[in-house]
Amino acid sequence: MAAQTEESDCAREQTKAEQDVDQVRKRAARDQQRLDSGAVSSPKDLENLQREITSLAKRQSDLEDVVLEVMERRESAQERVAELTERVAAVQAKIDDATGRRDAAFEEIDGEAASVTKEREVIAGSIPADLLKLYDKLRAQQGGIGAARLYQRTCQGCRQELAITELNEVRQAASDTVVRCENCRRILVRTADSGL
């Protein structure tokens, strides 16, 4: 925006400087025409007119230098605008790409979540209501994980190894008995790798 504003300011400044040069050029041409026409006969008026034409030529030269300097600044500003516009376009392309990948990932996650939710509903239908209620309560308390696998005598929820007395209680419990970790209170899921 700043570069575009600078370029716009330079364009206005260039237009004004070119108009000033044009006015001086027209005035010098009028004076030269008066001088060449012979309409001015007084030597003093002729001398004044020649001085003015010389002065106007100097003024025109100075103004043309200003125009050239402004044109150079404007060209530099235009190059800067073009460079920044190109960089903005490149960044926007990266943003668009990242947004597209994010949206695709969201769609994939939403699809997985819908699939897992359906699977959970089917499985939840086969679990006793009181056990499901306990699991949901623990899940809410434990950051989304209400049950953890017992792997090689270690609760995978809190990563704590069970004490020998706890292991003996788990060993002696019937296979359909709900056992819980003494450390994190999650439901322990027993498998062949539990180390019992």
Side-chain angles (χ1 to χ4, degrees), residues 62-176:
D62 291 347
L63 287 172
E64 286 172 345
D65 289 345
V66 168
V67 168
L68 288 174
E69 185 265 327
V70 171
M71 287 173 74
E72 287 174 3
R73 282 194 351 242
R74 183 178 181 194
E75 186 176 311
S76 174
Q78 286 172 330
E79 288 172 3
R80 182 82 174 130
V81 167
E83 174 196 339
L84 291 173
T85 302
E86 194 175 303
R87 285 172 56 190
V88 165
V91 169
Q92 188 60 51
K94 288 180 182 178
I95 290 170
D96 293 343
D97 178 56
T99 301
R101 286 186 285 122
R102 179 205 63 198
D103 292 346
F106 277 157
E107 280 184 38
E108 186 179 332
I109 290 168
D110 289 344
E112 285 180 29
S115 174
V116 168
T117 300
K118 285 180 185 174
E119 286 178 35
R120 184 184 190 282
E121 288 172 1
V122 170
I123 294 170
S126 66
I127 296 176
D130 58 339
L131 179 57
L132 189 58
K133 185 176 177 183
L134 173 64
Y135 170 77
D136 285 337
K137 177 182 168 190
L138 291 172
R139 201 175 90 161
Q141 292 173 350
Q142 298 292 341
I145 302 173
R149 182 170 75 134
L150 179 60
Y151 179 73
Q152 296 183 356
R153 303 180 197 164
T154 302
C155 170
Q156 296 300 293
C158 63
R159 305 281 187 211
Q160 296 289 318
E161 187 172 332
L162 273 59
I164 195 72
T165 55
E166 290 176 77
L167 279 173
N168 286 334
E169 288 174 13
V170 172
R171 275 190 198 111
Q172 292 170 0
S175 62
D176 61 345

